[in-house]
Amino acid sequence: MDLFQLLSAELGPARVLRDELALERFAVDESGLPRFPPECAVLAESRAEIELVLRLAQEHRIAVTPRGAGTGMTGGALPVRGGIVLSTERMVRIREIDAENLIAVVEPGVTTGALQAEVEAAGLFYPPDPASLESCSLGGNVAENAGGPRAFKYGTTRDYVLGLEVVRMGGETLQLGRRTPKGVVGYDLVALMVGSEGTLAVATEIVLKLLPKPRAVATLLATFRDLLTAGAAVGTLVGRGHRPRALELLDRVTLEHLRGRTPYRFPDGAGAALLCELDGDPEGMEAQLLRCAESCEQSGAIEIQIAEDERRRRELWETRRRANPTLKALHRRKIPEDIVVPRAAIPEMLRRVDAVATQANLPCATYGHAGDGNLHINLLIDEPDSPELEARIERALDATMRATLELGGTLAGEHGVGLLKQRYLPWEQAPPVIQLQRQLKRLLDPEDLLNPGKIFP
Ligand code: MLT
Ligand code: ZN
């Protein structure tokens, strides 16, 4: 029997997919990269099954690519060497919500939105909110160290993972971390696993820190005539001591794409917008929101709209979250960047992005988590493919990355390196740092079978 027949005999053919049509959805993700079909997809339902797959795959020297919900933006879940896609989409149990100790224990296939709904019903709060929260999985969030708008005040996934149960290639299970808010025993292997893009081990259980749910939320949208003014308003607002939970920037191109296609209608003629949301206690919330509005006005906002009720607030966020899917649907190709620069460098970065796009003669949509200096810069391609176009795209990406590093930034804020950014890893990190990471990878997966071909060029 070959490996796939063995797995089929153990788990049943309904959970070991071999059919070309059934495998189609495992060949793609949200990165826009070409298709990489696996030879087999396993829909695991337990830790024991993940141990079995990783043990047998090691024995047969077959590559395994772990996959959450397939919403990754850099190709992290694409099986570039074929082999097995190991999906955790059926591991959807919330095992525990403990209000006294403020933790949740979940299986990796639970969607972020499902956990949030459950903990909020219990008066608790899980802050990380990637735009794809209704479909992305917590296992994927852990693999990529997902962020989102609320990372500005609350941090990213890594700040909420207290403990992990993981299985490494070969099938050995490791219990990492803890269930308590504090703990300094040994190296922080949980922090190492979070953001390792599924290259070191597969998470089978996640212990997450929760917070009490904020009692009040208030949201405003400030529109500006142009992007640079809006970009400069970010630093001013933060410099004055305000700490909204989210501070999102959208450029004219993004606003134009969203207009008429999403629940919220941005004011006509807006050249850029800042979406600002505060949370905390109801007392003083309105006064705080007005101070943020005032700061935006003094920075040149031409209009301020305050979300008057929960429905309007939801519409605004639904509209913001539609940026990526809308741009993707309206263009033949969309090449997403995810850079971060120090907040004070946002206006200069925006200036450079504009110059790069003009020089490349390519339309570009920029939006993102401006409070964190994290900008999603998207080249929009409708021209037919040609070597000349590819060279132009590469020059534009290179120039964007160079500008980011010159301004003291980093090349990926929340989407990881995956396949898309490998070329740039040595631009940011020195050879000994890359070498050390390769050694860590080899220690856990000596034959490079777990999610091979990712991160490292
Ligand atoms: C977002 O912020 O909308 C997500 O990170 C996806 C994207 O890059 O658009
Ligand atoms: Zn984002």
Side-chain angles (χ1 to χ4, degrees):
M1 270 205 262
D2 70 12
L3 170 64
F4 306 130
Q5 288 164 336
L6 260 176
L7 287 171
S8 199
E10 288 284 341
L11 307 179
R15 292 198 292 114
V16 180
L17 311 178
R18 301 296 313 279
D19 178 73
E20 214 176 291
L21 213 62
L23 291 176
E24 192 51 40
R25 71 188 174 95
F26 299 99
V28 291
D29 65 359
E30 281 296 315
S31 61
L33 282 160
R35 296 171 58 257
F36 290 96
E39 288 158 81
C40 165
V42 176
L43 311 180
E45 289 184 353
S46 67
R47 178 187 90 192
E49 292 181 358
I50 290 181
E51 287 171 345
L52 177 82
V53 172
L54 295 183
R55 179 168 61 75
L56 292 178
Q58 173 75 59
E59 282 166 21
H60 288 76
R61 309 277 186 281
I62 299 282
V64 177
T65 303
R67 182 180 176 99
T71 55
M73 303 285 295
T74 54
L78 297 180
V80 289
R81 277 207 224 140
I84 299 171
V85 163
L86 177 54
S87 167
T88 54
E89 69 189 31
R90 292 198 173 197
M91 298 179 69
V92 293
R93 260 183 345 124
I94 297 176
R95 292 193 178 147
E96 212 181 313
I97 293 176
D98 179 341
E100 197 173 343
N101 289 308
L102 288 173
I103 57 168
V105 182
V106 300
E107 292 184 347
V110 175
T111 57
T112 312
L115 176 71
Q116 283 174 348
E118 196 89 2
V119 301
E120 283 175 33
L124 302 170
F125 185 45
Y126 176 67
D129 59 342
S132 54
L133 61 90
E134 293 304 340
S135 50
C136 65
S137 71
L138 289 162
N141 290 180
V142 167
E144 299 295 326
N145 187 22
R150 298 197 295 229
F152 179 44
K153 178 171 175 182
Y154 289 106
T156 59
T157 302
R158 179 175 288 127
D159 298 302
Y160 293 87
V161 184
L162 298 174
L164 284 174
E165 176 186 82
V166 300
V167 185
R168 51 183 286 210
M169 201 65 208
E172 184 187 29
T173 294
L174 303 167
Q175 305 290 343
L176 307 177
R178 56 192 203 272
R179 290 171 62 107
T180 53
K182 293 172 90 174
V184 286
V185 175
Y187 294 151
D188 191 347
L189 297 179
V190 171
L192 173 66
M193 289 294 161
V194 180
S196 62
E197 307 195 30
T199 60
L200 298 181
V202 182
T204 49
E205 184 179 271
I206 308 163
V207 182
L208 293 167
K209 177 171 91 175
L210 303 175
L211 299 176
K213 188 177 162 188
R215 286 163 57 222
V217 180
T219 311
L220 71 78
L221 183 86
T223 45
F224 295 80
R225 242 179 260 293
D226 65 84
L227 185 60
L228 287 191
T229 312
V234 173
T236 305
L237 192 101
V238 178
R240 289 182 175 187
H242 298 294
R243 197 68 182 175
R245 72 173 180 184
L247 194 48
E248 297 279 308
L249 177 70
L250 299 103
D251 77 346
R252 182 194 304 275
V253 179
T254 308
L255 295 178
E256 280 166 1
H257 280 75
L258 292 173
R259 195 166 290 126
R261 297 187 174 90
T262 48
Y264 183 81
R265 195 184 162 84
F266 288 107
D268 290 332
L274 268 187
L275 176 53
C276 171
E277 183 163 278
L278 297 163
D279 70 358
D281 292 333
E283 303 78 34
M285 178 65 65
E286 198 183 326
Q288 259 192 67
L289 192 71
L290 291 178
R291 279 200 296 277
C292 288
E294 198 179 277
S295 173
C296 290
E297 264 166 1
Q298 285 169 1
S299 295
I302 49 174
E303 190 176 334
I304 307 275
Q305 294 191 2
I306 291 179
E308 68 273 21
D309 55 25
E310 183 57 22
R311 191 176 67 102
R312 182 44 63 97
R313 200 179 75 76
R314 281 184 189 281
E315 281 175 7
L316 255 167
W317 281 109
E318 164 68 10
T319 300
R320 159 61 185 91
R321 283 197 278 268
R322 297 290 306 158
N324 172 45
T326 304
L327 289 161
K328 221 174 149 203
L330 294 174
H331 296 278
R332 198 173 67 72
R333 277 169 73 190
K334 167 181 162 307
I335 300 174
E337 289 305 315
D338 171 39
I339 60 98
V340 193
V341 289
R343 202 174 295 123
I346 292 175
E348 177 59 17
M349 187 65 206
L350 293 171
R351 230 173 268 130
R352 300 220 195 168
V353 169
D354 186 48
V356 166
T358 307
Q359 168 121 46
N361 195 22
L362 290 170
C364 174
T366 298
Y367 58 89
H369 320 296
D372 285 321
N374 184 189
L375 301 174
H376 299 315
I377 299 161
N378 298 276
L379 297 177
L380 307 170
I381 317 284
D382 295 301
E383 302 175 28
D385 284 328
S386 73
E388 186 276 330
L389 172 66
E390 291 315 311
R392 216 164 358 116
I393 292 172
E394 191 170 301
R395 277 199 302 276
L397 295 179
D398 287 3
T400 308
M401 296 306 200
R402 218 174 294 119
T404 302
L405 294 175
E406 275 169 20
L407 295 174
T410 181
L411 303 179
E414 52 180 21
H415 297 165
V417 176
L419 276 181
L420 261 184
K421 315 268 169 70
Q422 288 177 0
R423 182 175 135 67
Y424 300 107
L425 185 72
W427 290 29
E428 178 166 334
Q429 297 188 339
V433 177
I434 296 176
Q435 182 57 14
L436 181 62
Q437 292 173 89
R438 283 188 190 278
Q439 284 166 343
L440 282 168
K441 163 73 173 158
R442 223 170 288 138
L443 207 60
L444 278 146
D445 173 22
E447 295 182 65
D448 194 20
L449 293 169
L450 187 63
N451 208 2
K454 304 296 163 62
I455 303 180
F456 305 107

